[in-house]
Amino acid sequence: MRMRRTAAAVVMVAAVTVTAAGTSVAATAAAPAASVAAAKKPAKAPAKAPAKAPAKAPAKAPAKAPTKAPAKAPTKAPAKKPAKKVSFSALGTITAVDTAKSTVTVKVTGGTKDVKGKTVTITVPSSVAIKLNGKKATLSALGAPQKIQVTGTRVDTAYTAGKVVVTGKKKATAKPKPAPTPTPTSPEPTSPEPTTPEPTSPEPTETPTTPAPEETPEPEVTA
């Protein structure tokens, strides 16, 4: 048994030795071949540096359009406060009456400060009672130069009567006289004037003229 084990070990060692020798021979033979192949290869040209691209000019920023200032919103005028009603009183003389507009114009000689010394036109509503010489009257019964006393309210420059007391008589207005209408006149008949014929004298007739006697020539005397 020992003999067999020893023989097997020897065989294994021999195999390892042969394999190592073959490997070293192959490596030795490959080394010169590699050096020859390296000698035959041409030397590589040095790599060229990549050409630099020309530097681009910086792009100009687009010109900005001038920004318009935002339009200002129209400022609203402050709303006017409604005018307040103010009481007034006027004492004076009527200068005019307009029944179509229901107004009376008064030349004020006394009353509140806002009307004193002025001539104002006052609206007289139909619902306002008018007293003329202690009796009820209408606006059409008033006129210049009656005395009047008015109390009422004023809004700005608009006067409205609340009470009207009038004394005196208004001036009678002369009614325009109608123009006389012309009466048609018939033409008078004209009689033709008698005409007397003028006497006509007969025209003178021409008298025949007698021819003058012809002269006879005298005979010539011969010697």
Side-chain angles (χ1 to χ4, degrees), residues 68-74:
K68 292 183 178 180
K72 292 183 180 180

PDB file of all heavy atoms in Angstrom, residues 68-74:
ATOM      1  N   LYS A  68     -46.114 102.660 -20.820  1.00  0.00           N
ATOM      2  CA  LYS A  68     -47.021 103.794 -20.642  1.00  0.00           C
ATOM      3  C   LYS A  68     -47.506 103.847 -19.204  1.00  0.00           C
ATOM      4  O   LYS A  68     -47.797 102.813 -18.602  1.00  0.00           O
ATOM      5  CB  LYS A  68     -48.214 103.686 -21.586  1.00  0.00           C
ATOM      6  CG  LYS A  68     -47.852 103.848 -23.045  1.00  0.00           C
ATOM      7  CD  LYS A  68     -49.110 103.790 -23.903  1.00  0.00           C
ATOM      8  CE  LYS A  68     -48.777 103.993 -25.369  1.00  0.00           C
ATOM      9  NZ  LYS A  68     -49.996 103.931 -26.214  1.00  0.00           N
ATOM     10  N   ALA A  69     -47.562 105.050 -18.736  1.00  0.00           N
ATOM     11  CA  ALA A  69     -48.091 105.218 -17.385  1.00  0.00           C
ATOM     12  C   ALA A  69     -49.571 104.870 -17.388  1.00  0.00           C
ATOM     13  O   ALA A  69     -50.290 105.222 -18.313  1.00  0.00           O
ATOM     14  CB  ALA A  69     -47.907 106.659 -16.916  1.00  0.00           C
ATOM     15  N   PRO A  70     -50.035 104.135 -16.433  1.00  0.00           N
ATOM     16  CA  PRO A  70     -51.464 103.765 -16.408  1.00  0.00           C
ATOM     17  C   PRO A  70     -52.348 104.997 -16.359  1.00  0.00           C
ATOM     18  O   PRO A  70     -52.069 105.954 -15.644  1.00  0.00           O
ATOM     19  CB  PRO A  70     -51.592 102.929 -15.122  1.00  0.00           C
ATOM     20  CG  PRO A  70     -50.409 103.337 -14.293  1.00  0.00           C
ATOM     21  CD  PRO A  70     -49.318 103.681 -15.249  1.00  0.00           C
ATOM     22  N   ALA A  71     -53.378 104.978 -17.232  1.00  0.00           N
ATOM     23  CA  ALA A  71     -54.285 106.128 -17.273  1.00  0.00           C
ATOM     24  C   ALA A  71     -54.980 106.289 -15.936  1.00  0.00           C
ATOM     25  O   ALA A  71     -55.467 105.315 -15.349  1.00  0.00           O
ATOM     26  CB  ALA A  71     -55.320 105.938 -18.384  1.00  0.00           C
ATOM     27  N   LYS A  72     -54.987 107.515 -15.512  1.00  0.00           N
ATOM     28  CA  LYS A  72     -55.623 107.779 -14.229  1.00  0.00           C
ATOM     29  C   LYS A  72     -57.129 107.750 -14.395  1.00  0.00           C
ATOM     30  O   LYS A  72     -57.672 108.276 -15.353  1.00  0.00           O
ATOM     31  CB  LYS A  72     -55.191 109.147 -13.687  1.00  0.00           C
ATOM     32  CG  LYS A  72     -53.726 109.198 -13.279  1.00  0.00           C
ATOM     33  CD  LYS A  72     -53.387 110.560 -12.692  1.00  0.00           C
ATOM     34  CE  LYS A  72     -51.929 110.643 -12.262  1.00  0.00           C
ATOM     35  NZ  LYS A  72     -51.604 111.979 -11.687  1.00  0.00           N
ATOM     36  N   ALA A  73     -57.754 107.103 -13.498  1.00  0.00           N
ATOM     37  CA  ALA A  73     -59.218 107.064 -13.514  1.00  0.00           C
ATOM     38  C   ALA A  73     -59.743 108.455 -13.198  1.00  0.00           C
ATOM     39  O   ALA A  73     -59.202 109.151 -12.344  1.00  0.00           O
ATOM     40  CB  ALA A  73     -59.728 106.066 -12.482  1.00  0.00           C
ATOM     41  N   PRO A  74     -60.757 108.899 -13.986  1.00  0.00           N
ATOM     42  CA  PRO A  74     -61.285 110.248 -13.710  1.00  0.00           C
ATOM     43  C   PRO A  74     -61.834 110.344 -12.292  1.00  0.00           C
ATOM     44  O   PRO A  74     -62.583 109.490 -11.837  1.00  0.00           O
ATOM     45  CB  PRO A  74     -62.416 110.398 -14.746  1.00  0.00           C
ATOM     46  CG  PRO A  74     -62.775 108.993 -15.119  1.00  0.00           C
ATOM     47  CD  PRO A  74     -61.521 108.190 -14.996  1.00  0.00           C
TER      48      PRO A  74
END
